[in-house]
Amino acid sequence: MDKNIETVIVTEELLNDKIYIIRGQKVMLDFELAEIYGYTTNRFNEQVKNNIEKFDEDFMFELTKEEFEFLMSKKSTSSWGGRRKLPKVFTEQGIYMLMTVLRGELAIRQSKALIRTFKKIKDYIIDNRDLIGYRDHIQLAIQTIGNANDINKLKNDIVFIEKQMSDVMDQLDEVVKRSDLADFMNNFVNEGDNGWLVYNTKYCTADLAYSEIYKQARNTIYVIDNYIGLRTLVLLKNAPIGVDITLFSDNVGGRLHSIEYRDFCTEYPTINITLKQAGGIYHDRFIVLDYGTDNEKIYLCGASSKDAGARITSIVEDFGIEKYKPLIDTLLLNPDLSLR
């Protein structure tokens, strides 16, 4: 932390004013985050540079000149001018990773304030869903449901955040030990919905697991899931641009509505999703990547993606994809799914 820098009070109004949509993602600017955390921009970026292995491109990227000029034109402020370098921006995942990088009493206090404020925004939407117009509620849900760590269930203790984020991001290559898995199951029993699951025997947030799976696709993604909802769509926003997505479902319970589907497609125009009927024969859930290619993969999902992380569940890769070919070939011939 740098001395003589005034502490910024984190409020809902502050966050709403400092969150921008760039490349279809919600991001915050490096110099505005530096201000929140009590750093100069240079010092802030030094801390990030010293831990650059934690910040992949989906966590942090540098704006182009055109993107920054566009933001400046929208913001109507002179305080952004005169910068020698184009600013970096941090996605939601990147902002949570910052909490494990920035040290000191103020950093911990501000991290807690950010979590509480994000939670307050999300709780307001849930508590007032009957007061907010239906379309407005959908738009708000799309903007907030994609939080990587489901902060509604995170502890306010920054030590907990550092431990969990470090476990997930720094040790994804380590298989969970039996004792770790036991602790994981106990956490579910004691705390209920906490947004975490087991992905290929690794302790992981639900959002991160689906993001890691979808990002592997090069050509196509097939999702076979009879119980779908808005969250099913939002998780698919992590798919690479240009990948064709087909969602096979009978939409049991009618949880996904046509208005939600249309609004999502408007919000994310680069995501190409086709809806087809599943045919009433599937109970399990599957994700199929790049069917019929050398990159072909299939994952078995213990729960619908709309409920990912809500109960004890796991996602595992099945390496015997040949046995699924007759089923997948049949699915591809099914008619389109119509939503109410």
Side-chain angles (χ1 to χ4, degrees):
M1 182 192 74
D2 295 288
K3 296 180 179 179
N4 303 320
I5 292 182
E6 184 178 353
T7 301
V8 175
I9 305 301
V10 178
T11 63
E12 295 173 49
E13 292 76 17
L14 175 80
L15 289 185
N16 287 331
D17 188 53
K18 296 185 183 299
I19 293 177
Y20 312 95
I21 304 296
I22 297 291
R23 303 179 194 177
Q25 302 181 79
K26 291 179 292 182
V27 299
M28 294 184 71
L29 294 161
D30 58 0
F31 58 87
E32 292 191 327
L33 280 166
E35 182 182 10
I36 290 174
Y37 276 101
Y39 284 80
T40 64
T41 304
N42 286 340
R43 178 60 178 154
F44 174 88
N45 282 323
E46 283 179 7
Q47 294 291 91
V48 173
K49 184 177 180 180
N50 291 338
N51 296 272
I52 196 63
E53 72 280 356
K54 295 186 177 183
F55 294 92
D56 294 337
E57 289 186 2
D58 54 334
F59 282 31
M60 175 193 74
F61 56 88
E62 184 176 293
L63 294 182
T64 65
K65 181 180 179 182
E66 292 75 18
E67 287 170 336
F68 187 47
E69 288 177 349
F70 175 77
L71 283 186
M72 287 177 37
S73 68
K74 293 292 184 182
K75 191 70 174 180
S76 299
T77 177
S78 60
S79 63
W80 286 10
R83 293 178 57 87
R84 295 182 179 180
K85 295 182 178 180
L86 290 168
K88 297 179 177 62
V89 295
F90 293 79
T91 65
E92 294 175 15
Q93 295 96 325
I95 291 169
Y96 296 124
M97 183 58 73
L98 282 173
M99 297 177 185
T100 73
V101 169
L102 302 179
R103 306 291 179 177
E105 181 180 347
L106 177 60
I108 292 176
R109 188 164 68 248
Q110 294 296 75
S111 293
K112 290 181 179 180
L114 281 169
I115 292 170
R116 292 187 180 112
T117 305
F118 277 127
K119 180 181 184 297
K120 193 180 300 181
I121 293 172
K122 190 172 183 180
D123 285 349
Y124 175 83
I125 294 170
I126 294 173
D127 293 341
N128 294 275
R129 66 179 67 189
D130 296 329
L131 303 178
I132 301 173
Y134 185 60
R135 291 183 67 91
D136 293 333
H137 172 67
I138 292 172
Q139 291 298 326
L140 288 169
I142 288 175
Q143 293 172 19
T144 60
I145 201 171
N147 286 344
N149 293 330
D150 192 10
I151 54 179
N152 189 39
K153 299 300 178 183
L154 282 177
K155 305 293 186 180
N156 286 329
D157 187 348
I158 194 62
V159 175
F160 172 84
I161 298 172
E162 291 181 357
K163 179 182 183 298
Q164 301 295 3
M165 290 299 294
S166 177
D167 287 346
V168 173
M169 302 309 301
D170 294 340
Q171 300 176 17
L172 277 178
D173 57 336
E174 294 184 9
V175 176
V176 175
K177 299 178 182 177
R178 290 184 180 180
S179 59
D180 295 331
L181 188 56
D183 291 340
F184 169 67
M185 295 302 179
N186 287 333
N187 285 337
F188 267 109
V189 172
N190 295 330
E191 300 175 21
D193 179 2
N194 64 5
W196 296 70
L197 50 72
V198 176
Y199 165 46
N200 277 349
T201 71
K202 303 162 189 173
Y203 187 25
C204 185
T205 66
D207 290 333
L208 182 60
Y210 280 92
S211 175
E212 289 292 321
I213 292 171
Y214 291 147
K215 285 192 300 184
Q216 297 177 67
R218 300 174 185 172
N219 301 297
T220 60
I221 296 174
Y222 299 157
V223 178
I224 304 166
D225 189 345
N226 267 331
Y227 296 85
I228 55 177
L230 179 59
R231 180 170 168 79
T232 305
L233 300 180
V234 173
L235 289 171
L236 284 163
K237 72 184 179 68
N238 295 303
I241 294 176
V243 170
D244 292 324
I245 301 167
T246 304
L247 180 56
F248 297 93
S249 178
D250 295 317
N251 196 23
V252 176
R255 294 290 298 274
L256 182 64
H257 298 273
S258 59
I259 191 172
E260 294 174 320
Y261 176 68
R262 290 197 302 269
D263 284 352
F264 176 83
C265 293
T266 301
E267 185 77 11
Y268 299 99
T270 61
I271 305 299
N272 180 29
I273 300 181
T274 300
L275 304 180
K276 281 184 170 291
Q277 297 177 27
I281 62 173
Y282 288 91
H283 180 273
D284 291 338
R285 292 87 179 181
F286 305 91
I287 297 172
V288 184
L289 306 181
D290 297 325
Y291 179 65
T293 73
D294 292 338
N295 192 49
E296 189 175 70
K297 292 184 179 181
I298 189 165
Y299 291 87
L300 308 183
C301 308
S304 297
S305 55
K306 73 176 182 63
D307 299 322
R311 294 180 177 87
I312 298 174
T313 189
S314 61
I315 301 176
V316 296
E317 183 175 357
D318 189 336
F319 295 96
I321 197 168
E322 285 294 327
K323 60 180 174 287
Y324 296 102
K325 286 188 179 297
L327 293 176
I328 296 172
D329 289 340
T330 300
L331 277 172
L332 291 171
L333 298 175
N334 285 355
D336 292 342
L337 172 67
S338 297
L339 301 175
R340 293 187 291 108

